[in-house]
Amino acid sequence: MPTIVVDVMPKPELLDPQGKAVTGAFARLGVTSFSEVRIGKRFELTVDGEVTDELLAEVRTLAADVLSNSVIEDVVGVEVAE
Amino acid sequence: MPTIVVDVMPKPELLDPQGKAVTGAFARLGVTSFSEVRIGKRFELTVDGEVTDELLAEVRTLAADVLSNSVIEDVVGVEVAE
């Protein structure tokens, strides 16, 4: 069955405490290749049926209204996975 | 600067309470197009420098050892984003 993937990330201008914690862990482990880590969410919606343009439009609306908090997060991707 | 994206999802055989909550919210909203919702994590690692094969190998190791809990989660993707 097809899956639609929705990616949601914290807004770039906001602090991401989870990401900062990982950045700190990397530093303590001696990993220095990364200047920043940010952590967001990945939603996998299993579609019951076929992926149509209307369904994708519905997913975009749901992503903006239900799956993300537009005050602190951005929807960075809506893609059909398989 | 290039970004490496690491996607981590709960193992398919395990219950995902967050995803179940979203599935329930969809049902209450009258959205019936999706049979399942699962929620995982998306890590964006900003690379300080160039993306090499060694760096990608390091990211794969970090993804398995630090960014995911292999008891309950799978690393489903490691990709260079831009």
Side-chain angles (χ1 to χ4, degrees):
Chain A
M1 271 193 289
T3 301
I4 298 178
V5 176
V6 175
D7 289 316
V8 172
M9 293 299 293
K11 281 187 191 290
E13 61 270 29
L14 296 184
L15 184 70
D16 170 21
Q18 284 190 95
K20 279 272 174 288
V22 172
T23 311
F26 279 178
R28 287 191 297 280
L29 290 167
V31 176
T32 57
S33 319
F34 311 103
S35 56
E36 198 188 10
V37 179
R38 294 185 75 81
I39 307 181
K41 285 181 219 145
R42 174 188 163 95
F43 298 84
E44 289 187 357
L45 314 181
T46 306
V47 179
D48 219 11
E50 237 182 302
V51 178
T52 59
D53 285 349
E54 292 83 57
L55 186 69
L56 274 175
E58 188 185 13
V59 170
R60 277 194 201 95
T61 310
L62 286 170
D65 296 347
V66 182
L67 301 180
S68 68
N69 176 352
S70 62
V71 177
I72 57 169
E73 292 170 326
D74 286 326
V75 177
V76 298
V78 175
E79 293 133 42
V80 182
E82 76 215 49
Chain B
M1 270 192 291
T3 301
I4 299 177
V5 175
V6 176
D7 290 314
V8 173
M9 293 300 292
K11 281 188 190 287
E13 61 269 30
L14 296 185
L15 184 70
D16 170 20
Q18 284 190 94
K20 279 271 174 286
V22 173
T23 310
F26 279 178
R28 287 191 297 279
L29 290 168
V31 176
T32 56
S33 320
F34 311 104
S35 56
E36 198 188 11
V37 180
R38 294 184 76 80
I39 306 181
K41 286 181 219 146
R42 175 187 163 95
F43 297 84
E44 288 187 358
L45 314 182
T46 306
V47 179
D48 219 8
E50 237 182 302
V51 178
T52 59
D53 284 350
E54 293 83 57
L55 186 70
L56 274 174
E58 188 185 13
V59 170
R60 277 193 200 94
T61 311
L62 286 169
D65 295 349
V66 182
L67 302 179
S68 68
N69 176 353
S70 63
V71 177
I72 57 168
E73 291 169 328
D74 286 327
V75 177
V76 297
V78 175
E79 294 133 42
V80 183
E82 74 217 52

